[in-house]
C-alpha cells in the first residue's frame, strides 16, 4: 500500500501510486515547510472575486466526496454555496471529535500547506473571501503547524485571502456543522436546529463552504494534477485515496493512506497486522458500526461494499477487537462515554443514550433483568432521527451493530451472567475530559 | 394543502401536553417526549394540530408544508 519507493519528484510531478496526500511528508517527522511543499505543488492565481466554476467542474469530474463521514459530493456542496446570493466563507473542519480518528490532526500537523492550499483553492472556486481553519484546542501540534505555515506564506509574500485559525472546544459534537458554525458565530459549540443549512446561511449569516480537512487536501491535489490523475486510484463510484486511522489490536497503530476499495485486511496489515485472531472490527469509529470476523475478512474500504454490510466508512477509523475482548463491555463503555458527550439539548438523546448505556453496561456486567434486550432494541429505534443532529442516530446504529455482531456473547451473558472475557483489558480508548466546555 | 407536524427537539422539554390534545398523531416515548406520526395532516385534523401547537408552553411545534407526494413513512 505505501511500499512504492520514494523518488525525487520533479517540480509539479504528480505522485505516482501511493502515498498521495502524504507524498512529500514521508521523510519528515515534522511539518513539511513551504519550500518543500512548493517544490511539488503550485497554486493557481489567487484570490478571486467570482466563483471559478472551472475548478468546481474539476472537483465534479474527479468525483470527490467529503471525507469527514458524510461522503457527500463536494462539487454539489460547492455549487450550492455559490448560489447563496452573498459572498461565501470557507471553513476547514478539523474538529476531530471522533476518538478513534487522528488523520485530520496528522494532516494539519504534517501537511499544513497542503490543507491551506486546498482551503485557498476551495475559496477561489466558490468565490469566498475569508478562510477559517478549525482544530480542537487540544490539537496543539496541528494548531502550531498551521500558524507557522501561514507565517511562512506571509514571509514568502504569497497573496491569499485572510486565514483565521480557530481553536475549538474538544467535544464529540463540536464538529457537527451547525455546532461549529454556532461556535464561530459566538455561541456554544452545540448543534442547532436545521434548516437553514450552513451552505445557505452559516458563519456571519453567509453561505458557508464547510468541509473536512482531508477533503481540502484532496481538492488541492485535484486542482494541481487533474481529475483523471485523481481517478487512477480508488473505485469508479468512490475515486481517490483515503486516510484510515487504524488502532486496537494492531502492532503499528496509526494513520495510513490507501486507495478506496482496498481490502480491510490490507488496511489492518498495513498497520502491522494483529496480535490475536480478529473477533470484530469497528469501522467508522465510535460513530460507526461493528463488523463480525467473517465480514471483516471479506470487506473492502469503500462505502459501496460496507453499505451492503449495514456499515460505512465514516471518517475512515478502523479499530480491531481481538479474540478475548468483550464486545458488549467495549460498546457499553463507548455508549456511556457518548452519553456524556451529548450536548444535552434533546430529550430523546439525553434520556435515550442514558438508558441505552446503563442497560448495556448492566447486561455486560451480568446484572440481568427480564426484557432488557427488548428494551435495548426498542430504545435504539426510539431515539433514531429524533435529535436536532444525528449524534443519537450514531449511538443507536453502534448499539444495533453490537447486538447483532455480539449476539453470541449476549446469550452467554444472559445465561451465565458473564463471559470469559470479563477480566480482559479494555481495547477502545476514551478521551479524558478535564471539564465540560462548550466555548 | 397538506402539512407535516414537526417538533423542534431542542426547544421541546417533554411536557406532553401535545399528546393529550392530539393523540391521533402524537404519542409519547418512554421519557415523555413526543413521537410524531409522519403522515401529512389535512382536513378535520388541522384544528387538533393547531390546538396542540398553541398549547405548547415552549412553542416547540410547528406545521410545515408537506412536499408533494409525501406519504406515510
Amino acid at each position: 500500500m505505501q511500499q512504492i519507493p520514494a523518488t525525487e519528484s520533479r517540480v509539479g510531478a504528480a505522485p505516482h501510486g501511493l502515498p498521495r496526500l502524504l507524498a512529500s511528508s514521508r521523510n519528515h517527522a515534522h511539518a513539511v515547510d513551504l519550500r518543500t511543499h512548493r517544490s511539488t505543488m503550485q497554486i493557481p492565481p489567487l484570490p478571486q472575486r467570482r466563483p471559478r466554476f472551472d475548478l468546481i467542474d474539476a472537483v465534479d469530474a474527479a468525483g470527490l466526496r467529503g471525507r469527514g463521514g458524510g461522503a457527500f459530493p463536494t462539487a454539489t456542496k460547492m455549487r450550492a454555496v455559490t448560489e447563496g446570493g452573498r459572498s461565501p466563507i470557507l471553513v476547514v473542519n478539523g474538529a476531530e471529535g471522533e476518538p478513534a480518528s487522528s488523520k485530520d490532526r496528522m494532516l494539519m500537523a504534517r501537511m499544513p500547506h497542503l490543507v491551506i492550499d486546498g482551503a485557498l483553492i476551495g475559496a477561489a472556486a466558490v468565490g469566498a473571501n475569508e478562510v477559517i481553519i478549525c482544530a480542537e484546542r487540544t490539537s496543539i501540534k496541528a494548531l502550531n503547524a498551521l500558524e507557522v505555515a501561514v507565517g511562512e506564506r506571509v514571509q514568502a509574500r504569497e497573496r491569499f485571502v485572510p486565514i483565521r485559525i480557530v481553536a475549538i472546544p474538544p467535544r464529540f459534537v463540536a464538529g457537527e456543522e451547525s455546532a461549529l458554525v454556532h461556535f464561530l458565530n459566538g455561541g456554544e459549540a452545540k448543534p442547532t436546529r436545521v434548516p437553514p443549512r450552513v451552505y445557505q446561511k452559516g458563519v456571519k449569516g453567509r453561505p458557508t463552504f464547510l468541509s473536512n480537512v482531508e477533503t481540502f487536501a484532496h481538492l488541492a491535489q485535484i486542482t494541481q494534477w487533474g481529475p483523471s490523475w485523481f481517478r487512477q486510484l480508488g473505485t469508479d463510484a468512490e475515486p481517490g485515496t483515503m486516510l484510515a486511522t487504524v488502532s486496537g489490536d494492531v502492532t503499528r497503530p496509526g494513520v495510513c493512506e490507501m486507495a478506496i476499495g482496498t481490502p480491510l485486511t490490507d488496511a489492518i496489515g498495513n498497520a502491522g497486522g494483529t496480535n490475536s485472531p480478529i473477533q470484530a472490527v469497528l469501522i467508522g469509529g465510535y460513530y460507526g458500526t461493528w463488523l463480525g470476523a467473517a465480514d471483516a475478512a471479506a470487506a473492502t474500504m469503500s462505502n459501496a461494499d460496507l453499505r451492503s454490510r449495514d456499515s460505512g466508512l465514516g471518517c475512515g477509523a478502523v479499530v480491531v477487537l481481538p479474540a478475548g475482548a468483550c464486545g458488549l463491555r467495549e460498546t457499553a463503555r463507548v455508549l456511556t462515554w457518548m452519553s456524556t458527550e451529548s450536548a444535552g439539548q434533546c430529550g430523546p438523546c439525553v434520556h435515550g443514550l442514558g438508558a441505552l448505556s446503563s442497560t448495556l453496561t448492566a447486561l455486560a456486567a451480568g446484572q440481568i433483568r427480564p426484557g432488557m434486550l427488548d428494551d435495548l432494541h426498542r430504545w435504539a429505534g426510539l431515539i433514531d432521527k429524533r435529535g436536532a443532529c444525528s449524534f443519537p442516530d450514531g449511538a443507536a446504529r453502534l448499539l444495533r451493530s453490537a447486538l447483532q455482531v455480539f449476539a453470541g456473547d449476549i446469550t452467554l451473558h444472559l445465561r451465565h451472567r458473564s463471559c470469559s472475557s470479563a477480566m480482559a483489558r479494555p481495547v477502545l480508548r476514551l478521551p479524558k475530559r478535564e471539564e465540560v466546555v462548550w466555548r | 394543502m397538506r402539512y407535516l407536524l414537526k417538533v423542534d427537539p431542542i426547544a421541546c422539554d417533554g411536557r406532553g401536553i401535545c399528546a393529550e390534545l392530539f393523540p391521533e398523531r402524537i404519542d409519547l416515548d418512554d421519557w415523555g417526549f413526543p413521537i410524531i406520526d409522519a403522515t401529512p395532516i389535512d382536513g378535520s385534523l388541522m384544528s387538533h394540530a393547531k390546538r396542540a401547537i398553541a398549547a405548547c408552553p415552549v412553542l416547540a411545534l410547528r406545521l410545515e408544508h408537506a412536499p408533494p407526494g409525501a406519504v406515510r413513512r
Side-chain angles (χ1 to χ4, degrees):
Chain A
M1 297 172 61
Q2 288 192 337
Q3 279 79 5
I4 286 106
T7 49
E8 275 301 312
S9 53
R10 288 174 291 115
V11 173
H16 177 72
L18 280 164
R20 282 180 170 182
L21 298 177
L22 308 177
S24 56
S25 92
R26 65 180 122 193
N27 297 322
H28 299 262
H30 305 292
V32 170
D33 64 16
L34 183 60
R35 225 182 58 173
T36 311
H37 174 71
R38 283 279 170 263
S39 73
T40 58
M41 174 166 286
Q42 288 76 48
I43 190 167
L46 295 164
Q48 305 287 333
R49 284 234 176 78
R50 289 157 189 264
R52 286 270 310 268
F53 288 105
D54 57 322
L55 297 179
I56 301 180
D57 289 343
V59 174
D60 201 0
L64 178 65
R65 287 170 175 271
R67 299 298 162 80
F72 189 78
T74 305
T76 306
K77 192 185 264 186
M78 294 169 85
R79 290 209 178 93
V81 169
T82 64
E83 285 157 12
R86 297 180 62 189
S87 172
I89 288 186
L90 184 140
V91 176
V92 179
N93 187 356
E96 204 167 26
E98 166 62 58
S101 181
S102 57
K103 51 124 183 162
D104 289 328
R105 267 194 297 280
M106 186 275 262
L107 209 48
M108 290 184 284
R110 282 176 61 184
M111 307 292 296
H113 287 292
L114 184 62
V115 175
I116 292 171
D117 271 0
L120 292 176
I121 293 165
V126 302
N129 57 10
E130 191 178 336
V131 165
I132 302 172
I133 307 179
C134 302
E136 289 186 333
R137 222 167 266 156
T138 43
S139 305
I140 308 288
K141 278 186 190 160
L143 290 165
N144 284 345
L146 290 167
E147 293 283 1
V148 168
V150 172
E152 282 181 282
R153 283 165 186 250
V154 173
Q155 283 239 302
R157 295 171 185 265
E158 290 198 1
R159 284 183 62 223
F160 51 91
V161 297
I163 298 175
R164 194 150 59 96
I165 294 158
V166 177
I168 64 161
R171 306 286 304 171
F172 195 105
V173 296
E176 195 273 338
E177 60 178 28
S178 73
L180 193 53
V181 165
H182 194 235
F183 176 76
L184 291 172
N185 284 336
E188 292 185 311
K190 293 180 177 180
T192 58
R193 211 178 89 192
V194 286
R197 296 288 304 271
V198 304
Y199 65 79
Q200 300 165 314
K201 200 174 170 202
V203 180
K204 301 179 190 172
R206 284 155 59 179
T208 300
F209 175 22
L210 186 149
S211 205
N212 165 265
V213 168
E214 187 193 334
T215 315
F216 285 107
H218 287 295
L219 198 154
Q221 296 200 324
I222 290 166
T223 308
Q224 176 78 23
W225 292 304
S228 31
W229 167 82
F230 186 73
R231 283 183 170 277
Q232 281 169 15
L233 295 175
T235 70
D236 276 354
E238 299 166 73
T241 62
M242 62 171 284
L243 296 177
T245 313
V246 185
S247 67
D249 183 45
V250 290
T251 53
R252 284 197 316 271
V255 176
C256 56
E257 183 174 4
M258 65 196 68
I260 297 182
T262 298
L264 172 58
T265 46
D266 286 6
I268 294 167
N270 202 52
T274 60
N275 299 308
S276 332
I278 296 175
Q279 179 185 175
V281 176
L282 183 61
I283 303 269
Y286 300 179
Y287 192 69
T289 42
W290 287 107
L291 285 183
D295 269 322
T300 67
M301 297 291 280
S302 74
N303 280 308
D305 177 87
L306 290 170
R307 219 172 282 134
S308 72
R309 306 174 197 280
D310 292 327
S311 178
L313 283 176
C315 62
V318 170
V319 191
V320 179
L321 189 74
C326 177
L328 293 179
R329 201 161 56 104
E330 297 287 344
T331 309
R333 287 175 61 246
V334 168
L335 282 178
T336 303
W337 180 78
M338 283 178 87
S339 71
T340 66
E341 285 293 297
S342 165
Q345 300 186 116
C346 305
C349 183
V350 171
H351 299 283
L353 261 60
L356 286 179
S357 60
S358 60
T359 304
L360 191 65
T361 302
L363 174 60
Q367 293 150 12
I368 308 300
R369 63 166 174 76
M372 68 195 309
L373 195 54
D374 293 339
D375 281 343
L376 287 172
H377 280 288
R378 197 167 52 83
W379 290 331
L382 265 187
I383 66 173
D384 209 20
K385 303 203 168 39
R386 287 187 57 230
C389 72
S390 57
F391 182 68
D393 310 6
R397 188 171 54 220
L398 176 71
L399 175 83
R400 280 203 203 94
S401 74
L403 295 181
Q404 198 177 354
V405 168
F406 305 117
D409 293 315
I410 294 175
T411 311
L412 281 180
H413 279 257
L414 290 176
R415 202 176 290 157
H416 305 295
R417 299 188 172 267
S418 183
C419 64
S420 54
S421 318
M423 300 308 285
R425 248 181 67 213
V427 175
L428 301 185
R429 290 191 302 188
L430 304 175
K432 282 210 172 64
R433 304 290 196 208
E434 298 296 324
E435 53 182 333
V436 177
V437 283
W438 292 102
R439 282 180 195 271
Chain B
M1 187 60 91
R2 299 187 309 165
Y3 292 88
L4 294 175
L5 187 61
K6 297 273 184 180
V7 63
D8 173 353
I10 296 178
C12 175
D13 60 7
R15 312 272 180 110
I17 299 166
C18 55
E20 280 184 39
L21 291 175
F22 194 17
E24 295 91 340
R25 292 296 172 83
I26 303 178
D27 199 1
L28 295 180
D29 67 16
D30 293 27
W31 312 288
F33 289 81
I35 302 171
I36 298 176
D37 189 328
T39 314
I41 294 166
D42 52 14
S44 59
L45 285 178
M46 278 302 285
S47 59
H48 296 245
K50 285 181 175 163
R51 201 167 56 195
I53 291 168
C56 175
V58 293
L59 305 178
L61 286 169
R62 67 188 186 280
L63 282 173
E64 283 179 6
H65 289 292
V71 289
R72 195 191 169 87
R73 244 194 315 210

